[in-house]
Amino acid sequence: MKKSLMIGLMVAALVCAFALPSVIAGNAPADTMTLAVPAGAKATKTAVTFPHKKHEAVADCLVCHHKAKDKAAIKGCVAEGCHADAAAAAKKDPKGFYQAWHNKDAANSCLGCHKAKGKGPKGCKDCHPKK
């Protein structure tokens, strides 16, 4: 009886040890992401390769994902209710798609953060390489 119980507990422990990381990783974002304009919008520059894992190491997720109440509520930037408006008229709108990355005065935009910290890419070609 004790032998069966021990074997059962060991099997359960092994299943948890190998399966649990896979379940947790299923919700984790990719280490590197390609950021492109929302569907239906015209891209004027190349898509951006974004090193998400590198940014996770230096900033709290809720700084960039500022509308989320907690990490479980995080959505992508172009999700409904976030920065989905990519229309040309919205380019200057602080809530629009363009400003989410390019507003030099917003601490939670890419350029704003890089300007404040004095490091990272600051020019168009740094993020948008030529095709």
Side-chain angles (χ1 to χ4, degrees):
M1 179 76 171
K2 285 184 180 183
K3 187 175 181 180
S4 297
L5 179 62
M6 287 302 291
I7 290 173
L9 289 173
M10 290 178 72
V11 168
L14 287 172
V15 167
C16 288
F18 289 105
L20 192 57
S22 297
V23 170
I24 292 170
N27 295 332
D31 292 347
T32 301
M33 300 175 176
T34 300
L35 305 178
V37 296
K42 181 182 178 193
T44 57
K45 303 267 186 208
T46 58
V48 173
T49 300
F50 177 68
H52 188 267
K53 186 170 185 131
K54 181 179 178 182
H55 286 82
E56 278 183 313
V58 297
D60 178 21
C61 302
L62 299 179
V63 170
C64 297
H65 298 279
H66 55 99
K67 286 194 170 194
K69 302 279 188 234
D70 56 41
K71 289 183 180 183
I74 290 176
K75 300 186 223 175
C77 298
V78 297
E80 189 62 39
C82 289
H83 301 285
D85 191 357
K91 197 167 187 177
K92 294 188 183 220
D93 178 357
K95 296 177 183 176
F97 175 80
Y98 182 85
Q99 290 297 317
W101 288 274
H102 300 95
N103 187 340
K104 293 178 183 176
D105 297 323
N108 55 356
S109 80
C110 297
L111 284 179
C113 184
H114 289 181
K115 179 182 170 187
K117 294 193 182 284
K119 61 182 180 179
K122 295 176 193 83
C124 300
K125 292 178 184 175
D126 296 337
C127 297
H128 302 279
K130 289 188 175 187
K131 293 179 183 179

